[in-house]
Amino acid sequence: MAEELTTDTPETPEQSEEQAIKQRKNGLYPGVSDELAENMQSGWADTELHGLEPIAQAAHTAARRAALSARFPGQRLVIPAGNLKTRSNDTEYAFRASTEYAYLTGDQTQDGVLVLEPVAGEDRHEATIYLLPRSNRENGEFWLDGQGELWVGRRHSLTEAEQLLGLPAKDVRELPAHLAEATGPVRNVRGHDAGIEAALADKVTAEQDEELRVFLSEARLVKDAFEVAELQKACDATARGFEDVVKVLDKAQATSERYIEGTFFLRARVEGNDVGYGTIAASGPHACTLHWVRNDGPVRAGDLLLFDAGVETNELYTADVTRTLPISGAFTDIQRKIYDAVYEAQEAGIAAVKPGAHYRDFHDAAQRVLTEKLVEWGLVEGPVDRVLELGLQRRWTLHGTGHMLGMDVHDCAAARTETYVDATLEPGMCLTVEPGLYFQADDLTVPEEYRGIGVRIEDDILVTADGNRNLSETLPRTSADVEAWMAGLQG
Ligand code: GLY
Ligand code: MN
Ligand code: MN
């Protein structure tokens, strides 16, 4: 028997929760009888897990939280995972926890919040993770609530979460009231959880919150051992995804760039969490559109395929790799000429990645090589230094030569200029080196044979104590090696 939809104003959070469940029950399940409701309350086994080992990165997340604590003594710090976003009606986009939350906890649960509480009279914080606990089976939440475990799957109990994450865990539904009551300075990472922001609205300032965001961006500039291993894992899975793509180029020619995107996505989902950014499968002149993610164009023999993609691991570290492949298996003369120039520029860029080098050095080294080629080919009048000074090469080089890489594809994006682009490289930093040349199909300033050709080569380079290591080196880079590799895979 369906109950009346109540419109009473709830007075307590418990009443509000019960009323919400009742309303959902009436809206979604008008046929629920009291007998069924009672029946669903019991007869369930105790599935609590005992003696769980901490996650692999627990010691690293503790060290990351300690660094954060030391930077903001005496202040309450609130770092949310974020909420589900509606795609349409009652379906949502796939959830991806905020980078800051995952970095500090190793957890990826939607609606989770990490809070660092300053301990009175002591120079430290106590960290607590706030999560949704197991579903209550007695009040129907388990099966009548949209986030009930019957619908979305079993969650960890708070006790299990504590064992896994090495952090005390509390019910996230208590957090808004706790934050509302709390006194003293607070900072929040904005942009992830509107509910938390509303609860803190009159306690935080945009400037102080930004300082927290900047700190967490800069903290990630140098990767710890766990992060380096994750980035290597991401690059290795990505290399296998590139091989998958080469093997299906004939099928892509019969369909579209989407076949390539979909093939790589399969690898990303099987070996990792997702792709780390929108895959660029740019065939022919689409290679000259830097953010070509529509991927709905034809794939034609004789053209190049610029393929820029990265697997994101289950711990949310992504690779960012580009190869430009001759779809038919062999470069034409003009394609090879342009490709080899980009390769030479990338070599110069990679050689400039070493501890103590200025961050901008690798960009300058690659741009110089590309500019020398453009002058040599008669596309722009030299001397090279004049072209570089005026930036005239940028009509064809278009973008910077790389960026930091990590949990975000453009990692550490909130870092200050003085700690990132104006700083020097240190062991543990990881960056992409990705020069390119792009001749738009309608560029009347270059001979016709160049038009519609775009080439980029992108690798993920770790700064080491004595130089660098190319994490994506299993994928071939020279034009001859690319051709041999493709022939081997297509056999
Ligand atoms: N795929 C984005 C980039 O290369 O920066
Ligand atoms: Mn890329
Ligand atoms: Mn990149």
Side-chain angles (χ1 to χ4, degrees):
M1 187 173 73
E3 292 172 39
E4 293 292 335
L5 189 70
T6 172
T7 54
D8 292 348
T9 309
E11 280 168 10
T12 65
E14 292 72 28
Q15 280 175 8
S16 161
E17 188 192 326
E18 268 173 33
Q19 183 174 313
I21 290 168
K22 218 184 240 179
Q23 286 175 354
R24 275 185 218 112
K25 181 170 153 184
N26 278 288
L28 294 173
Y29 306 99
V32 175
S33 65
D34 290 347
E35 288 75 6
L36 175 58
E38 193 183 333
N39 175 281
M40 288 294 282
Q41 288 177 349
S42 59
W44 309 106
D46 176 1
T47 61
E48 181 74 10
L49 303 169
H50 301 280
L52 294 175
E53 291 295 322
I55 57 171
Q57 59 174 321
H60 293 286
T61 56
R64 297 169 197 162
R65 290 191 300 271
L68 175 62
S69 168
R71 168 65 179 81
F72 297 105
Q75 304 184 28
R76 180 173 281 101
L77 308 172
V78 182
I79 300 104
N83 318 122
L84 289 175
K85 286 190 177 47
T86 301
R87 188 175 193 274
S88 68
N89 304 317
D90 56 351
T91 59
E92 289 96 16
Y93 288 101
F95 178 73
R96 199 270 195 188
S98 78
T99 290
E100 294 90 345
Y101 174 87
Y103 175 74
L104 292 167
T105 64
D107 182 58
Q108 298 179 31
T109 310
Q110 71 214 33
D111 304 326
V113 184
L114 171 70
V115 179
L116 267 63
E117 302 271 352
V119 179
E122 291 184 46
D123 201 14
R124 66 183 185 94
H125 288 81
E126 216 152 67
T128 304
I129 193 160
Y130 287 85
L131 297 167
L132 201 55
R134 301 283 323 269
S135 290
N136 186 324
R137 304 204 180 211
E138 308 238 311
N139 70 3
E141 179 195 335
F142 162 66
W143 66 297
L144 295 175
D145 187 285
Q147 288 307 309
E149 288 177 297
L150 182 87
W151 295 101
V152 299
R154 188 189 188 283
R155 288 187 279 273
H156 283 299
S157 70
L158 297 183
T159 311
E160 291 167 0
E162 288 181 345
Q163 292 170 31
L164 290 167
L165 304 174
L167 278 169
K170 289 189 179 158
D171 187 335
V172 70
R173 291 171 297 192
E174 295 165 9
L175 184 59
H178 170 70
L179 291 177
E181 281 165 18
T183 54
V186 189
R187 295 178 194 247
N188 173 40
V189 177
R190 296 188 178 197
H192 301 309
D193 191 322
I196 295 295
E197 280 173 39
L200 291 173
D202 57 354
K203 296 177 190 282
V204 293
T205 69
E207 198 185 347
Q208 291 190 339
D209 284 356
E210 181 61 11
E211 283 171 1
L212 173 60
R213 191 173 80 97
V214 168
F215 175 83
L216 288 172
S217 214
E218 294 181 349
R220 304 200 314 274
L221 282 164
V222 174
K223 272 65 186 173
D224 61 36
F226 178 87
E227 297 184 286
V228 171
E230 284 294 312
L231 285 165
Q232 184 65 69
K233 206 191 283 179
C235 286
D236 292 346
T238 296
R240 288 187 280 276
F242 274 62
E243 288 176 5
D244 298 339
V245 163
V246 170
K247 288 180 189 162
V248 300
L249 278 180
D250 55 339
K251 295 200 176 72
Q253 288 179 66
T255 52
S256 79
E257 296 163 338
R258 292 273 166 97
Y259 205 99
I260 293 165
E261 178 189 338
T263 299
F264 188 82
F265 184 62
L266 176 62
R267 179 65 68 172
R269 285 294 282 171
V270 169
E271 290 206 30
N273 176 58
D274 202 340
V275 288
Y277 54 91
T279 294
I280 298 169
S283 177
H286 291 157
C288 302
T289 302
L290 290 183
H291 295 165
W292 180 257
V293 291
R294 277 183 247 159
N295 300 340
D296 59 357
V299 177
R300 297 194 181 97
D303 280 348
L304 295 175
L305 169 71
L306 184 155
F307 185 58
D308 182 345
V311 171
E312 178 188 67
T313 64
N314 288 320
E315 308 307 333
L316 307 185
Y317 288 80
T318 190
D320 179 11
V321 176
T322 306
R323 289 294 181 268
T324 306
L325 311 172
I327 291 162
S328 60
F331 291 96
T332 65
D333 289 347
I334 183 73
Q335 289 168 352
R336 191 184 307 276
K337 178 170 110 167
I338 297 168
Y339 185 96
D340 289 349
V342 173
Y343 171 74
E344 207 179 300
Q346 200 204 21
E347 281 286 275
I350 292 173
V353 175
K354 54 189 167 202
H358 291 290
Y359 175 81
R360 294 181 198 268
D361 287 354
F362 78 97
H363 172 70
D364 293 344
Q367 287 283 303
R368 176 165 288 277
V369 173
L370 294 176
T371 304
E372 285 167 1
K373 298 294 176 184
L374 292 165
V375 169
E376 184 186 317
W377 299 339
L379 302 185
V380 61
E381 195 185 323
V384 167
D385 283 334
R386 172 186 161 272
V387 177
L388 284 168
E389 194 179 320
L390 299 175
L392 299 177
Q393 81 284 0
R394 292 173 59 185
R395 182 181 178 100
W396 303 289
T397 65
L398 296 185
H399 55 78
T401 306
H403 50 84
M404 292 294 175
L405 183 72
M407 300 185 82
D408 294 339
V409 61
H410 295 162
D411 208 34
C412 313
R416 291 164 298 166
T417 308
E418 60 264 39
T419 61
Y420 187 168
V421 292
D422 283 346
T424 52
L425 298 179
E426 291 175 43
M429 289 180 167
C430 183
L431 49 139
T432 68
V433 179
E434 50 174 311
L437 282 174
Y438 311 88
F439 300 100
Q440 306 295 326
D442 59 353
D443 187 345
L444 301 180
T445 72
V446 297
E448 204 172 337
E449 60 173 350
Y450 288 83
R451 294 180 204 158
I453 296 179
V455 172
R456 177 164 66 254
I457 313 173
E458 175 173 26
D459 284 82
D460 300 342
I461 311 296
L462 176 73
V463 184
T464 59
D466 54 0
N468 69 58
R469 180 153 58 90
N470 183 346
L471 302 181
S472 43
E473 71 185 351
T474 56
L475 287 171
R477 289 190 297 125
T478 69
S479 53
D481 286 350
V482 165
E483 288 172 337
W485 170 72
M486 291 179 71
L489 288 170
Q490 292 170 339

